[in-house]
Amino acid sequence: MDLRAVSRRVGIAAAVVTVVALVAPYAVISGPEYASQLATYYASGVVGWGGITLFALLSAVVIASVEQGNVDPGTLAGVAVVLAFATTLSAASWAAAVEPSPVFRDNLWLVWHAPAVVALSIPLPLSAAAYARAVLS
């Protein structure tokens, strides 16, 4: 088993899964009565959902770019680790800042959404660190 290839694929997949899970309520919850509540829900935390999405997608792009050879692989692998940790930390700060609203009463699964996003983002820094270790060794 090639640790470098596996950790690269897992990192990219973890980033994409984090973003898909993050935006899932927009696909599931509909109705004008929930629009402002969802906007408040997603704006919670230091960087909100936009920052989490940005960090996750940038992590995926950087991890995918390491093998292209345009920039020093060690540098890009280090950047990927930093972005991956930023993704998980911003997801955790967002989850800690979320306050329940009436939309939670009608959609009980939403109570577990923010912790699930954090849990799904955890493999991203782990795989980025494993990938960086494989690149640098």
Side-chain angles (χ1 to χ4, degrees):
M1 177 169 70
D2 183 15
L3 178 64
R4 186 170 174 164
V6 170
S7 60
R8 180 174 187 239
R9 285 188 209 113
V10 169
I12 294 169
V16 171
V17 166
T18 299
V19 172
V20 169
L22 184 63
V23 299
Y26 273 127
V28 176
I29 299 173
S30 62
E33 67 273 12
Y34 296 130
S36 66
Q37 294 174 27
L38 278 177
T40 303
Y41 173 71
Y42 276 114
S44 299
V46 178
V47 294
W49 77 280
I52 300 166
T53 304
L54 177 70
F55 288 140
L57 293 178
L58 276 175
S59 297
V61 169
V62 169
I63 291 171
S65 299
V66 172
E67 301 296 329
Q68 299 302 316
N70 296 330
V71 179
D72 177 46
T75 302
L76 276 182
V79 170
V81 171
V82 171
L83 286 171
F85 275 104
T87 301
T88 301
L89 288 176
S90 57
S93 72
W94 172 71
V98 167
E99 294 183 17
S101 64
V103 73
F104 284 81
R105 185 175 47 243
D106 299 333
N107 302 285
L108 292 177
W109 62 271
L110 200 56
V111 172
W112 295 102
H113 177 250
V117 170
V118 175
L120 289 171
S121 73
I122 290 173
L124 182 56
L126 297 176
S127 63
Y131 185 59
R133 182 180 169 134
V135 167
L136 295 174
S137 61

